Amino acid sequence: MIRQRLARFVVRRAGYRMVGEVPESGILVGAPHTSNWDFITMLLVMWHDGAHPRVLVKKQLFRGPLGWVLRRLGGVPLDRDNAGGVVDELVREAGSGEPFRLIIAAEGTRTKGDYWKSGFLRISRDTGLPITLAFFDPPTKTMGFGPTFHPSDDVKSDMDLVRAFFADKRGIKPENATEPRLRDEPGSVA
């Protein structure tokens, strides 16, 4: 309740408008991921409607007191070199029957990259949970949720939906955004 009140106050004071509804359960792809502030903004988006998400965060940030804070905020340490163990644990947690919301920055970094990581598709398929596209767009002063879908066998079609939704979303530092495409996506030149 306190988190929800705080989020609503901050969103209102900053002059932002919330759109869409927080899903009961699912994999939330937050993009574009261009700044350290993205973690906070995605928490505000979730807390605004009273949701308590899990958030994948690189394990290096879990040292010292920051680690305690990140865990309290729903952070899950991710070892980028050995992500399989964390994914297996999250799949088990998602299967518990309790509401499960996992925020993933598919770009994998705040700097411009060549492609998105495909883990959000894998986790969605492994858990059976839908993917919801989440965003923070400073130029339009909007934040919230877009379409929700279950991944199909047509990766290109799924990614076309993702590209269409994020085409006009800018993030805090638009120059750092990575185009929504996967390394092994059919038709990709990466």
Side-chain angles (χ1 to χ4, degrees):
M1 187 66 122
I2 292 173
R3 288 179 179 179
Q4 186 175 23
R5 286 183 187 157
L6 173 66
R8 288 181 174 193
F9 173 77
V10 171
V11 168
R12 188 174 49 253
R13 289 291 292 163
Y16 277 78
R17 182 174 54 90
M18 292 292 297
V19 297
E21 292 184 23
V22 62
E24 181 68 25
S25 288
I27 310 304
L28 298 117
V29 177
H33 182 35
T34 64
S35 157
N36 283 325
W37 287 101
D38 296 339
F39 176 77
I40 301 300
T41 59
M42 280 297 108
L43 286 179
L44 290 173
V45 167
M46 297 298 289
W47 292 352
H48 189 271
D49 289 330
H52 298 283
R54 306 298 307 262
V55 184
L56 286 179
V57 180
K58 65 181 176 181
K59 74 173 186 174
Q60 292 84 348
L61 294 178
F62 284 82
R63 296 186 186 121
L66 182 58
W68 179 86
V69 171
L70 287 173
R71 280 185 181 82
R72 296 283 300 161
L73 295 175
V76 176
L78 177 66
D79 180 353
R80 292 177 177 172
D81 296 325
N82 187 18
V86 171
V87 170
D88 291 343
E89 179 184 327
L90 291 169
V91 168
R92 279 191 300 278
E93 187 177 333
S96 72
E98 295 293 317
F100 179 83
R101 300 170 190 97
L102 176 66
I103 298 174
I104 297 176
E107 290 163 279
T109 181
R110 295 172 317 277
T111 58
K112 189 168 187 67
D114 294 327
Y115 54 87
W116 280 22
K117 311 292 186 213
S118 60
F120 70 100
L121 289 169
R122 263 194 323 271
I123 294 171
S124 175
R125 285 188 184 111
D126 289 352
T127 61
L129 294 173
I131 294 169
T132 299
L133 304 180
F135 73 99
F136 172 70
D137 190 42
T140 62
K141 292 263 192 181
T142 56
M143 57 192 338
F145 305 97
T148 295
F149 66 98
H150 284 275
S152 69
D153 292 331
D154 185 349
V155 174
K156 183 179 181 322
S157 177
D158 292 342
M159 289 305 295
D160 284 345
L161 180 140
V162 171
R163 278 186 282 276
F165 178 73
F166 286 117
D168 63 347
K169 309 302 184 281
R170 298 293 166 242
I172 294 172
K173 296 180 180 179
E175 66 277 7
N176 289 350
T178 299
E179 178 188 343
R181 63 188 173 104
L182 304 176
R183 179 179 13 194
D184 299 325
E185 183 179 339
S188 176
V189 293

